[in-house]
Amino acid sequence: MSSSSSDIWNTADSFRFTYRRLNGNGVVYARVHKPTVTHQWVKSGLMMRENLDANSKNVNLSYTGNYGLICHARDSPGAQTSYINAEWSNRSEPIWLAIVRTGNKFDFYKSDDDAQNWSPLGSTQVIMDSEIYVGMALTSHSSSKTATGNYEYFGVDEYDNSRNLGVADINVENHLGPKIPLE
């Protein structure tokens, strides 16, 4: 996946999002590789968001260019994004990441041992609709540079597993390709 976009932060986001819908409780997970470093705050990771508006409520767990892992959230539309927690390290290896939704509680996890054991990274409460968007998020932190994020074993566990993936450029001026639903 690639993206030329400004950031996932502040009061509105600009990023590439490959997603599907989740209705109710569930988990999104993937093995995430370190993104190409276009900026120290390039972010490649997982996200759950209420809608596809740039200022949507969301929770995000990202692998950054130079700082390791970071968890953050926006708890109301257009609000400032809040820092939840981080694992500050300049790691380079792929890592398993997961976000678990239980009602309005969102828990962030990582696994350093190929998804055999999971360590909590943080937790937050964000009131969202029952049906939300979940998926892989990538921002280059510079609309003039293109970052690449590589993901393996992407999955969503929920009660209704029949929905297709879609792709959206959130608040991005230059689209990098067609928005084709993946089946």
Side-chain angles (χ1 to χ4, degrees):
M1 181 159 103
S2 59
S3 177
S4 297
S5 50
S6 61
D7 202 7
I8 301 169
W9 191 249
N10 291 321
T11 60
D13 305 317
S14 172
F15 67 105
R16 169 62 60 94
F17 189 41
T18 300
Y19 65 88
R20 61 175 291 186
R21 291 185 179 209
L22 170 72
N23 192 9
N25 298 332
V27 59
V28 59
Y29 57 89
R31 187 170 183 243
V32 181
H33 292 256
K34 184 174 184 172
T36 55
V37 182
T38 54
H39 186 278
Q40 60 196 10
W41 283 111
V42 60
K43 296 173 186 143
S44 179
L46 302 174
M47 177 178 280
M48 293 185 171
R49 62 189 298 121
E50 190 167 61
N51 58 53
L52 298 179
D53 295 341
N55 67 350
S56 175
K57 298 180 205 177
N58 72 76
V59 296
N60 180 258
L61 171 56
S62 292
Y63 196 162
T64 67
N66 290 349
Y67 299 116
L69 305 174
I70 185 168
C71 312
H72 51 76
R74 182 179 302 118
D75 63 5
S76 64
Q80 177 64 42
T81 300
S82 300
Y83 163 82
I84 307 292
N85 194 14
E87 180 188 272
W88 304 111
S89 66
N90 192 7
R91 61 172 57 239
S92 60
E93 70 281 355
I95 187 166
W96 282 89
L97 300 178
I99 304 174
V100 177
R101 179 189 192 183
T102 308
N104 292 316
K105 183 179 180 210
F106 297 86
D107 296 300
F108 305 93
Y109 294 93
K110 69 162 184 140
S111 174
D112 290 309
D113 62 0
D114 210 22
Q116 298 302 306
N117 297 288
W118 293 88
S119 302
L121 287 169
S123 182
T124 192
Q125 296 272 338
V126 179
I127 298 169
M128 289 195 205
D129 293 340
S130 180
E131 187 170 69
I132 61 173
Y133 295 83
V134 301
M136 298 167 281
L138 174 66
T139 182
S140 62
H141 200 83
S142 170
S143 56
S144 65
K145 295 180 181 176
T146 301
T148 301
N150 292 309
Y151 303 81
E152 298 175 283
Y153 313 107
F154 171 75
V156 178
D157 289 340
E158 64 167 323
Y159 297 116
D160 179 5
N161 207 17
S162 64
R163 297 173 199 220
N164 294 330
L165 289 174
V167 176
D169 288 306
I170 308 294
N171 198 28
V172 176
E173 292 180 23
N174 298 319
H175 299 288
L176 296 173
K179 297 176 187 159
I180 302 171
L182 306 173
E183 304 208 43

